[in-house]
Amino acid sequence: MAETLQVEIMKAEAMDPAAVDLWRRWTLTNPALASPYFRWEFTEIAARVCPGAAVAVFRRGERIVGFFPHQKRGGAVQPLGAPMNDYHGVIAAEDEMLSLEAVAGVLNPRRLNVPSWVGPAQAGQARGTVQVAMSEPGYEAWYAERRSTYGKYFKDKERARRSLEAELGPIRVEAGLRDPFLLDRLIALKAAQYRRSGLHDIFACGWTRDLLHALMLARHEDFGASMAVMHAGDSLVALEFSLHAGRHYHFWFPAYEPRLARCSPGILLSMDTMRLAATDGFRVFDFGFEGEGYKKYFVNARQTVREAVVIRPGLGRSLGEAAVAALGGAGGRGQALRNSLRRRWSTIEACEASSLGQLRGAAFALGSAVSKAAAKRKGPARVAHV
């Protein structure tokens, strides 16, 4: 009979060296934990910056069987670094990964919110993330295959490159940069993009900005964060902040000059970044969630993750479901709005550690969601012809 699963909650800095060694060994030997977000270094850095940070240490008897880095917001539990943590789950041996339901049962939070769970789970819905998996020859072999399969698309990007050079001057790409001023410029571009889109500005709370800076300035042999930038002539036209570990390179925060969208500077930068990073031994390039149209032309691998909100049964569940149903109605449209509102609230709750910040963010999100729903019901404006 299996021993009962038990948990101890502790600060990351309280972890003893033997436990940290176990963590590191599991991330190197369990293929499901290949993402940089599972590395001990990510948790150690994030735990110093993120409000409410802690690590759940799971044991059976005296034996450690897993770790779950997380953050608390009142009675809610989220992955550490949310809303910016693109992969999360229990760090464990390949043959002993704990399910989402087991974690929720032992932690017993009011709400456990996981946008991209890796590991066993029944709750929630499946979502796909997409990757470029390069064979050993590297970038040139990958590009030759992609250009053969999607010739029209990549010929268009080659024309875009020539157009960008003709308009602004020679293209220059630098990767592996750790410049705080460039990172602040990227964050400013992303914040402006969030505001234009009516989304919550995840950088307004401060600690999210601090996390990116801390990750970029850290120095580790097999883990890190850095920036790639593209210049055309004297103009900075695109930037990207990425996280990397082992042979995995995770594209995280891209930004480009909006007025040059016709030249696809962001896509061109990603291509050049892969080319440069492949020479350093990187072979898996993660593009995050599927959905954006351009990704299908690049990626050749897919990973299934789980998006779920596990809520402790009771009045909170009933009121929450009733409120969203009242706003969105029934059926498919109601479900779509429900998912949208949950994701928005998850982002707000993760960013804003104070109740006041959460209330302000929720009011903005609710107004935006209702306005969009009303616009869809109204449909496009009609033009009278006389």
Side-chain angles (χ1 to χ4, degrees):
M1 182 176 179
E3 293 180 281
T4 301
L5 184 65
Q6 298 178 321
V7 64
E8 178 185 6
I9 308 299
M10 63 173 58
K11 298 292 185 181
E13 60 264 30
M15 299 271 291
D16 65 68
V20 173
D21 287 345
L22 187 61
W23 185 312
R24 287 183 166 137
R25 183 162 71 249
W26 282 336
T27 56
L28 293 176
T29 58
N30 185 347
L33 306 178
S35 170
Y37 295 98
F38 292 112
R39 290 296 185 95
W40 162 253
E41 290 82 3
F42 179 85
T43 291
E44 190 273 329
I45 294 167
R48 288 191 268 111
V49 177
C50 303
V55 175
V57 181
F58 298 103
R59 290 186 172 87
R60 295 192 188 276
E62 297 298 318
R63 184 171 61 94
I64 294 177
V65 297
F67 306 98
F68 178 50
H70 63 276
Q71 60 193 32
K72 293 194 70 176
R73 297 289 183 267
V77 169
Q78 306 161 333
L80 182 63
M84 303 196 300
N85 186 327
D86 287 352
Y87 290 100
H88 39 264
V90 175
I91 291 87
E94 183 177 5
D95 60 352
E96 203 170 11
M97 293 189 72
L98 299 176
S99 71
L100 173 60
E101 288 74 17
V103 171
V106 176
L107 292 180
N108 194 32
R110 186 178 66 204
R111 184 174 68 257
L112 175 59
N113 192 336
V114 290
S116 190
W117 179 267
V118 174
Q122 297 298 319
Q125 60 184 352
R127 300 183 72 186
T129 63
V130 288
Q131 300 82 34
V132 168
M134 291 184 181
S135 57
E136 199 50 47
Y139 180 85
E140 297 303 331
W142 167 82
Y143 186 69
E145 185 276 323
R146 291 285 98 180
R147 198 177 188 280
S148 174
T149 304
Y150 298 109
K152 183 176 183 299
Y153 179 84
F154 284 100
K155 287 178 184 177
D156 178 69
K157 297 311 163 192
E158 291 166 4
R159 285 193 295 269
R161 184 184 295 272
R162 293 193 295 269
S163 178
L164 186 61
E165 287 186 313
E167 181 175 344
L168 296 177
I171 289 177
R172 174 170 53 91
V173 172
E174 297 176 273
L177 302 179
R178 291 177 169 83
D179 186 333
F181 298 101
L182 283 175
L183 179 53
D184 283 338
R185 185 166 181 176
L186 170 62
I187 289 172
L189 286 170
K190 293 302 291 184
Q193 178 187 338
Y194 294 139
R195 291 192 294 271
R196 288 195 305 271
S197 303
L199 300 175
H200 187 74
D201 178 5
I202 67 172
F203 293 113
C205 61
W207 71 261
T208 47
R209 179 191 301 264
D210 294 341
L211 175 59
L212 296 192
H213 275 281
L215 287 165
M216 186 180 70
L217 295 179
R219 290 290 189 270
H220 297 283
E221 182 178 351
D222 195 36
F223 172 89
S226 63
M227 296 189 66
V229 299
M230 172 179 283
H231 286 85
D234 295 327
S235 300
L236 179 61
V237 298
L239 312 89
E240 185 140 27
F241 183 89
S242 300
L243 195 64
H244 30 82
R247 291 159 64 89
H248 287 248
Y249 197 102
H250 188 100
F251 290 115
W252 202 357
F253 287 101
Y256 61 88
E257 180 57 54
R259 67 183 178 84
L260 297 171
R262 67 189 184 283
C263 296
S264 305
I267 290 174
L268 296 178
L269 176 58
S270 293
M271 293 171 63
D272 285 352
T273 301
M274 285 193 290
R275 176 177 53 81
L276 294 171
T279 64
D280 292 330
F282 292 101
R283 288 295 179 267
V284 177
F285 296 86
D286 201 311
F287 281 76
F289 284 118
E290 60 188 353
E292 290 93 339
Y294 78 92
K295 292 182 181 180
K296 71 177 183 180
Y297 300 106
F298 285 79
V299 302
N300 54 13
R302 186 179 189 274
Q303 181 176 353
T304 299
V305 297
R306 205 79 182 174
E307 178 185 29
V309 181
V310 182
I311 304 175
R312 187 189 303 163
L315 182 62
R317 175 197 292 269
S318 301
L319 290 176
E321 294 297 318
V324 175
L327 286 169
R333 187 175 65 183
Q335 184 60 47
L337 179 57
R338 182 179 292 111
N339 289 338
S340 175
L341 288 173
R342 282 174 177 162
R343 289 170 186 165
R344 281 174 173 263
W345 171 248
S346 173
T347 298
I348 294 165
E349 186 178 46
C351 291
E352 308 297 339
S354 73
S355 298
L356 180 59
Q358 291 176 6
L359 286 172
R360 287 173 176 169
F364 178 80
L366 186 58
S368 177
V370 171
S371 297
K372 287 183 179 179
K376 286 183 179 179
R377 287 195 295 270
K378 185 177 180 181
R382 295 182 180 274
V383 178
H385 296 278
V386 295

